[in-house]
Amino acid sequence: MILTVTLNTALDITYRVRSLRPHATHRVSDVFERPGGKGLNVARVLAALGHRVTVTGFAGGGTGLAVRDGLTDLRGVVDALVPVAGATRRTIAVVDELSGDTTQLNEPGPQVAPAEWTAFQDAYGELLRGASAVALCGSLPPGVPVGAYAGLIRTARAAGVPVLLDTSGEPLRRGVAARPDIVKPNAEELAELTGSHEPLRATQDARRRGAHAVVASLGAEGLLAHTPEGRWRAAPPARVLGNPTGAGDSAVAGLLSGLVEHLPWPERLARAVALSAATVRAPAAGEFDRATYDELVGRVSVTGEVGAAQRSPRPA
C-alpha cells in the first residue's frame, strides 16, 4: 500500500470559459468537481496505474463531506482522512479555452486545533505500518506547525518507509533537513530553497541540505533529477497545451510508483514526464488522459548529465 498525506485537502472545482476577461460576466461551458489537494491527486493517478493507495490528512464541514463522498467512487483508494471541526477549503480553476491559460484561486484551509493535529499524528503512525512508501504533499492548513513535514519524515524514516516530499517555502526547508528520500520542487520552489536560479546547481545544493534525491519540475521543459545514481534530464517530445493543474502531482505519482516498483531512474522519470503531460491534456485536475500517456511514455527523452545518448525506457 502507498500512503499519501494531504494535510490541506480541497474540493477542486474547474470552470471552462470561452475567454476569461477582467470585469466581465462569463458563461461557463463545463464544470468539474473532484476531491483535491496534491496528495489526493497523486492517489488518483496511482490507483489508475494499478496501485493500492490510502489517503490521509484532514477533512471537515460540508466541503469535507463532498471530498469524502467523491473518494468512494475511486477504485483502489482507501479513505483514512481525519475529521476536523473547520471546513475543508475549495480551489477554483478557471480555464480559458481560447488561450489555454488557467487562473487558480486557492482558499487557505481550516484552522486545525492542537488536539486534531495530535490525532492525525497518531493515525499516521498506524498507517505507516502497512505502507511501502509515503508522499507528503501540499500546503499546511492554519494551526499545523511549520515543521510538521520534518516530523512526519522522521516518523517515516524510523518506520523504514521511503518518503517523498512535495511542498514549498519554510515547510520545504525544514523538511529537506529531515532527509527525505525524494523531494520534488518546481523551479521557483527550488530557487527559494537554495537561493540559486540555475537548476543544476540548485538541485545539487538541495541534496547537500539533506535530500537523498531531488527531482525538479521545469514546466514544459520536463524534469531535472539529481540522485545518488546520477543526474538526468527528462523532457516530453513536444509542448503539450491544456490545463496544467495537477500536472506536478501526476509527476509525483510517476516517481512514487517507480520507487515502489524498483524501476531505474530513467524509467521513473520517463513515466513521470508522460503522466504530467497527459494530465495537461485531461479535462480536470487530478486526472490524466490515458491515450496521451501511452503515446508519450516511450518517447520521453531522458539524457545523462553529460549528454549521454537518449535512453528508451520500457513502457509502463
Side-chain angles (χ1 to χ4, degrees):
M1 176 268 286
I2 298 175
L3 177 64
T4 73
V5 175
T6 313
L7 296 177
N8 211 4
T9 55
L11 184 65
D12 283 345
I13 302 168
T14 302
Y15 294 128
R16 300 183 70 87
V17 299
R18 175 64 178 166
S19 177
L20 183 61
R21 304 181 308 280
H23 316 298
T25 299
H26 297 79
R27 185 178 297 276
V28 176
S29 58
D30 291 292
V31 180
F32 299 93
E33 188 173 282
R34 299 286 189 277
K38 295 179 73 65
L40 267 62
N41 291 339
V42 171
R44 186 182 288 107
V45 175
L46 285 169
L49 293 173
H51 290 274
R52 293 187 305 110
V53 192
T54 296
V55 298
T56 191
F58 295 113
T63 48
L65 287 174
V67 166
R68 304 193 84 156
D69 285 345
L71 289 174
T72 62
D73 297 328
L74 296 180
R75 178 179 297 181
V77 175
V78 175
D79 174 5
L81 294 172
V82 175
V84 290
T88 296
R89 65 187 179 135
R90 296 163 298 178
T91 66
I92 311 296
V94 184
V95 180
D96 185 318
E97 295 176 339
L98 200 58
S99 67
D101 292 336
T102 301
T103 299
Q104 190 83 15
L105 303 172
N106 295 337
E107 296 178 355
Q111 181 74 34
V112 177
E116 292 169 336
W117 173 236
T118 298
F120 169 80
Q121 292 177 87
D122 292 343
Y124 173 74
E126 290 296 319
L127 290 168
L128 284 174
R129 296 177 182 225
S132 56
V134 57
L136 307 175
C137 302
S139 62
L140 302 179
V144 172
V146 71
Y149 283 138
L152 297 180
I153 290 166
R154 286 191 287 267
T155 301
R157 287 175 56 83
V161 179
V163 56
L164 183 153
L165 176 64
D166 182 16
T167 188
S168 61
E170 186 65 11
L172 173 60
R173 189 185 70 80
R174 297 199 188 192
V176 165
R179 305 185 64 81
D181 294 88
I182 304 172
V183 294
K184 197 223 61 77
N186 61 31
E188 180 181 346
E189 293 162 350
L190 185 62
E192 183 182 2
L193 172 68
T194 65
S196 174
H197 290 273
E198 200 292 303
L200 191 60
R201 180 180 302 171
T203 55
Q204 185 175 5
D205 182 67
R207 285 201 67 215
R208 283 198 297 264
R209 290 167 182 259
H212 189 66
V214 181
V215 181
S217 295
L218 305 179
E221 297 178 18
L223 299 174
L224 172 64
H226 190 170
T227 81
E229 290 79 18
R231 299 175 182 167
W232 291 272
R233 286 183 182 266
R239 186 179 180 89
V240 178
L241 298 178
N243 178 9
T245 306
D249 305 332
S250 291
V252 168
L255 296 171
L256 205 58
S257 63
L259 171 67
V260 299
E261 294 172 31
H262 307 290
L263 297 182
W265 271 104
E267 295 183 29
R268 298 188 205 181
L269 296 169
R271 178 182 291 183
V273 168
L275 284 169
S276 182
T279 298
V280 173
R281 290 263 184 93
E287 298 182 354
F288 70 96
D289 183 80
R290 188 76 198 209
T292 299
Y293 170 70
D294 291 339
E295 173 194 349
L296 292 180
V297 69
R299 298 172 56 210
V300 173
S301 169
V302 184
T303 56
E305 61 177 302
V306 292
Q310 179 174 323
R311 302 166 187 255
S312 298
R314 68 173 181 263

